Amino acid sequence: MDEKKLFEDFKRAVVEHHEFFKNSIPLIASENVTSMAVRRFYLSDFGCRYAEGKVGKRFYQGCQYIDVVEDVAVKLTKKIFGAEHANVQPISGVTANIAAFFALAKPGDKAFSLSVPCGGHISHHRFSAAGIRGVNVTDYPFDNESLNIDIDKTRKLALKEKPKVFVLGASLYLFPHPVKEIVEIAEEVDGKVMYDASHVLGLIAGGEFHDPIKEGANVVTASTHKTFPGPQRAIILSERSLAKKVDSAVFPGVVSNHHLHSLAAYVVACMEMMEFGKSYAKQIVKNAKALAEKLHELGFNVVGENVGFTQSHQVAVDVSEFGGGDPVAKMFERINIVLNKNLLPWDDLSKTENPSGIRIGVQEVTRLGMKEGEMEALAEIMWNAVNGKRSEDELRSEVVELKKEFTTIKYAFEESEAYAIVESFLNGL
Ligand code: DSN
């Protein structure tokens, strides 16, 4: 092994990764950038510590201040989302979903989830969280016109199959799911509704999407780093009656220690969303709509033409006519536009390698300050790219030029303010 070469490769990759993202338009719908204030906490001593168990009931000494941090995280989470109970310990969305399935179902129980082409996340299925709990999953009937769950067919199927868990929320998530209607069906068959809000958590916090808790979901799981611009971890919200089951499914079920530096960072992200969440979420949805409309006007086959394209941070485009999602996503990467290929509701799983679609998320570029004008400019570059109207070198230069003015994080506290803000906030609690 040439260790010197490995180290050189590592150094180069670190530098070039950061250079690439500085000069790129990031459109992966599951990512976001954290503020410098949030990042400051990644480096704190909390990241060197352990805190197994509950606040005030730990298995390690030295947790008295960590207890305060976790208590604040729980209180802010309950306040932002109007939840009776919050568990802030899961270290990822999949971990949260495994815990939720353990809290809500027994091995052999049935669940309804959206198929992956219709937007369901892998953890809603047998090859991940649902399968780990031994839950048997049936796909919801889906309506490709309204791009949503077909309620009448779902009700008929539910009365026959009597699922214990109805999973809502999605990875390809353009329109709010019919939570109230699914809650009614769940009540008829004695099931529970588990809503995976990972993608839209920031939109919910900002009041720009529906509110699954108000609409009756029993458990809400969510990662905290997509439209909610926090560190990479997750939360579970639930009604009070499920609190014990959720908590013991999380610890000792799926976490021991729970990454305390990012827990402290999450508190700062919560405070930022309480301050800036409304305006940030509003601009995200405006940007997604503006991008979808311009892409459509230029000639792209944007998904959802008859239903207004999107109500979230996402836009989906069927790019079959340009060779499919795989070559198109790779071509965009070559010109510094970063997005992913995506199955669409009319694809079957045999198209996983080269699905019909691409998925675009505008939450990160919005956080960097882009508005409707930049969405239009971006759409033009994308159209010229798929039509080969300019060379890739020219298009890359246009991307770099467009990105130049958008390299600092908006809707956020300054790093220099972070400690003072945390202090004043804690005083006010
Ligand atoms: N797979 C991620 C997404 O892009 O939706 C979520 O974990």
Side-chain angles (χ1 to χ4, degrees), residues 43-308:
L43 302 175
S44 64
D45 184 76
F46 290 122
C48 312
R49 305 299 152 203
Y50 255 62
E52 282 185 350
K54 291 182 177 187
V55 171
K57 276 182 87 178
R58 303 290 190 186
F59 292 88
Y60 292 79
Q61 299 315 120
C63 294
Q64 60 269 47
Y65 308 110
I66 292 164
D67 277 356
V68 175
V69 173
E70 187 168 334
D71 185 50
V72 172
V74 168
K75 283 184 174 142
L76 293 189
T77 304
K78 284 164 70 172
K79 185 177 163 99
I80 293 170
F81 298 104
E84 289 180 358
H85 179 69
N87 187 304
V88 296
Q89 296 186 344
I91 54 166
S92 76
V94 172
T95 317
N97 283 345
I98 297 171
F101 276 116
F102 269 79
L104 295 177
K106 296 189 305 300
D109 281 348
K110 289 182 180 167
F112 279 7
S113 298
L114 280 168
S115 71
V116 172
C118 293
H121 187 248
I122 47 168
S123 62
H124 306 164
H125 287 277
R126 69 177 163 78
F127 23 76
S128 176
I132 289 169
R133 184 46 165 163
V135 167
N136 298 316
V137 179
T138 301
D139 296 341
Y140 283 107
F142 194 78
D143 176 18
N144 287 356
E145 279 302 304
S146 63
L147 295 169
N148 219 319
I149 294 165
D150 185 320
I151 281 295
D152 293 337
K153 288 188 183 157
T154 296
R155 186 164 180 278
K156 278 192 197 120
L157 197 61
L159 294 177
K160 205 165 104 209
E161 295 212 7
K162 303 204 171 11
K164 282 287 167 219
V165 185
F166 293 75
V167 182
L168 295 175
S171 280
L172 174 65
Y173 200 11
L174 300 169
F175 300 99
H177 289 156
V179 180
K180 270 190 209 143
E181 292 83 348
I182 294 289
V183 167
E184 279 170 22
I185 297 171
E187 281 168 358
E188 282 186 68
V189 298
D190 200 24
K192 298 280 186 211
V193 175
M194 163 185 164
Y195 183 106
D196 183 341
S198 296
H199 268 274
V200 291
L201 192 70
L203 303 182
I204 294 170
E208 282 297 313
F209 210 65
H210 67 175
D211 181 337
I213 291 191
K214 266 206 188 120
E215 293 189 18
N218 305 98
V219 169
V220 174
T221 60
S223 54
T224 52
H225 48 264
K226 298 179 170 67
T227 52
F228 192 98
Q232 293 190 340
R233 55 188 296 121
I235 55 173
I236 304 181
L237 315 171
S238 76
E239 51 197 36
R240 205 168 287 116
S241 62
L242 289 167
K244 263 199 176 148
K245 280 188 176 172
V246 167
D247 288 351
S248 56
V250 173
F251 176 85
V254 289
V255 297
S256 63
N257 187 37
H258 61 100
H259 303 185
L260 307 165
H261 54 316
S262 77
L263 177 70
Y266 169 70
V267 169
V268 180
C270 284
M271 293 194 289
E272 286 179 342
M273 282 305 273
M274 289 168 81
E275 187 88 11
F276 309 106
K278 224 176 168 34
S279 52
Y280 175 46
K282 210 179 209 31
Q283 191 61 48
I284 291 174
V285 176
K286 276 193 202 170
N287 281 355
K289 280 187 194 298
L291 180 63
E293 277 159 17
K294 188 69 188 178
L295 289 169
H296 171 70
E297 183 193 310
L298 289 167
F300 272 109
N301 184 6
V302 183
V303 174
E305 183 186 350
N306 298 328
V307 278

Side-chain angles (χ1 to χ4, degrees), residues 385-414:
V386 291
N387 284 292
K389 287 197 179 172
R390 298 228 224 305
S391 74
E392 289 186 359
D393 284 345
E394 283 173 307
L395 290 161
R396 194 179 315 102
S397 304
E398 288 178 29
V399 169
V400 173
E401 196 53 37
L402 177 60
K403 181 68 184 299
K404 249 186 196 154
E405 306 297 315
F406 301 96
T407 53
T408 57
I409 293 158
K410 308 293 187 297
Y411 310 99
F413 300 134
E414 295 296 329

